[in-house]
Amino acid sequence: MDDLDRSLARKARSGNRRALASLYERYRSRVFGYLVKEMRDRGTAEDVFQEVWMKVMQGIGSYDAARGPFRAWLFRVAANAAVDRQRRDAVRLGDELDAPVENGEGRRVDLLPSDGPDPERLSASHEAGVALGRRLGKLEARQRTAVLLRHQQGLAYAEIAHAMAIPEGTAKTLVHRGVAALRRAMSARERLS
Amino acid sequence: MTTSCDQARQALALGLDESVESHLRECAACRLEAARIGQVVRSLAESAEVAPPAALDARVRRNLAASPPSAQPLPSLVTASGLAIAAYASIVCGVGIWLASSGFAETAPPLMAAIAVSYLAACAAASLPLLIKRTRPAPAELQEVRS
């Protein structure tokens, strides 16, 4: 994978559109999958997805294969775009969605599905995924990014370090703490159900 | 060195399961922990690939096809040439001021005029890269993103 990526990235650096299109083909679903979880809002993820590939097109000339594999560079672009967007939005969408809102009739309702069982709508695994997604959104931003890059996208710690511009040891600490928090939340949910 | 339960659980959270396989064979509590962490990790991995909506996919493909990817970063070359010219302008200016203050200008007006013209030309050349960078149009795709 790395060899093909390196070859395609080298061609894209010299202005080859087909090579860039091939890189897009190889990574579009992974980048979008990452952004959907990172942004927790599909519409925002779509905006950021477009920005990411624009930045890739404009910045591929600065990619240096000697400093790390292409996918680490790509997820660095994606993670930075996600952080920029979250800063621009200022208000975390997740917090807004988590808070009950007035429904216009004086009652407060949840916008997200409740954590309680709803066998008619949700299978157990889907329900667990929803609960995990909610907890994921409440992680500290860097923990969430590190956890997603490791356990969703399967990046090595050296790649995560490159993608997040942090030391490898810090990447491990973030993943460890993030997973521990998720695991505690899942266990608490099991005890309640 | 034997692996402690703390070390094993840390390795599991980090996704380095293979390093603690022997410990898991001997420790039922850590096997249970591995199952719980495995549930979290599997749930995350299930969403690793999500196809972008068709309209978005088509738009990005169109954008990528419309403009060639940026080759080697031009701004650094432009900046380097601008700095070199600016340095030259500064030297010429310094020499001119020194000659003027020493009274040499009164005895050699043509030389001073040449220095002044050279200085103005260097200043103009130094500002050229900035003009190039400012007037370079943003790619149509970027404008689309901004809109």
Side-chain angles (χ1 to χ4, degrees):
Chain A
M1 178 188 279
D2 283 354
D3 286 345
L4 181 55
D5 281 356
R6 196 175 298 121
S7 169
L8 289 170
R10 191 176 62 245
K11 289 176 184 171
R13 268 173 59 99
S14 59
N16 186 320
R17 292 179 201 186
R18 288 181 62 188
L20 187 63
S22 296
L23 287 169
Y24 173 75
E25 191 62 46
R26 288 167 65 76
Y27 283 102
R28 66 191 179 110
S29 296
R30 294 184 61 180
V31 170
F32 193 62
Y34 163 71
L35 290 173
V36 167
K37 283 287 181 193
E38 180 72 90
M39 307 309 297
R40 297 186 62 216
D41 176 83
R42 211 175 165 92
T44 312
E46 291 180 14
D47 287 350
V48 177
F49 179 79
Q50 188 165 308
E51 284 178 32
V52 166
W53 288 102
M54 187 58 52
K55 288 173 191 289
V56 168
M57 187 175 71
Q58 293 173 335
I60 189 72
S62 67
Y63 165 63
D64 180 3
R67 295 179 62 191
F70 173 77
R71 70 173 182 169
W73 181 82
L74 173 62
F75 278 103
R76 181 175 192 154
V77 173
N80 285 342
V83 168
D84 287 348
R85 177 57 184 256
Q86 284 161 354
R87 282 182 185 149
R88 282 205 303 273
D89 288 351
V91 177
R92 289 281 310 281
L93 286 165
D95 293 342
E96 286 183 339
L97 289 173
D98 281 346
V101 296
E102 291 284 345
N103 69 351
E105 299 171 359
R107 290 174 53 210
R108 295 181 74 77
V109 295
D110 270 333
L111 293 175
L112 288 177
S114 82
D115 284 349
D118 184 1
E120 289 183 6
R121 287 187 56 220
L122 302 169
S123 68
S125 68
H126 180 72
E127 198 184 327
V130 170
L132 184 71
R134 293 179 71 141
R135 188 64 189 86
L136 188 68
K138 290 180 178 175
L139 288 182
E140 190 262 319
R142 291 198 316 161
Q143 280 182 12
R144 181 173 57 250
T145 300
V147 166
L148 286 174
L149 293 180
R150 176 62 184 170
H151 289 304
Q152 188 203 38
Q153 296 300 327
L155 267 62
Y157 283 101
E159 293 176 305
I160 298 171
H162 182 70
M164 297 181 68
I166 55 176
E168 207 172 311
T170 306
K172 287 183 176 176
T173 302
L174 291 171
V175 171
H176 179 232
R177 289 179 180 168
V179 170
L182 293 175
R183 181 235 168 285
R184 282 195 301 273
M186 296 298 276
S187 294
R189 185 180 162 277
E190 281 173 10
R191 282 196 298 275
L192 287 173
S193 60
Chain B
M1 188 183 104
T2 56
T3 307
S4 69
C5 290
D6 281 348
Q7 288 171 325
R9 291 171 190 203
Q10 184 169 0
L12 291 169
L14 292 174
L16 304 171
D17 304 26
E18 67 280 3
S19 65
V20 292
E21 279 176 357
S22 61
H23 178 82
L24 292 180
R25 278 194 293 273
E26 299 162 3
C27 181
C30 284
R31 278 201 301 277
L32 182 62
E33 181 71 7
R36 285 176 172 155
I37 290 177
Q39 185 187 3
V40 170
V41 169
R42 276 193 303 279
S43 183
L44 288 170
E46 279 172 7
S47 61
E49 296 195 26
V50 179
L56 174 65
D57 185 48
R59 190 158 63 243
V60 174
R61 286 177 192 277
R62 202 168 50 242
N63 289 343
L64 293 177
S67 302
S70 295
Q72 305 300 321
L74 180 62
S76 62
L77 293 174
V78 170
T79 306
S81 64
L83 286 174
I85 295 169
Y88 168 72
S90 299
I91 292 169
V92 168
C93 183
V95 169
I97 291 170
W98 178 74
L99 288 175
S101 63
S102 66
F104 182 77
E106 293 172 8
T107 58
L111 178 60
M112 285 304 297
I115 288 173
V117 169
S118 167
Y119 172 67
L120 290 173
C123 287
S127 63
L128 197 58
L130 295 175
L131 289 173
I132 290 171
K133 287 173 80 173
R134 279 182 187 165
T135 54
R136 178 187 289 173
E141 301 80 9
L142 186 59
Q143 290 167 6
E144 187 176 335
V145 169
R146 285 171 180 157
S147 65

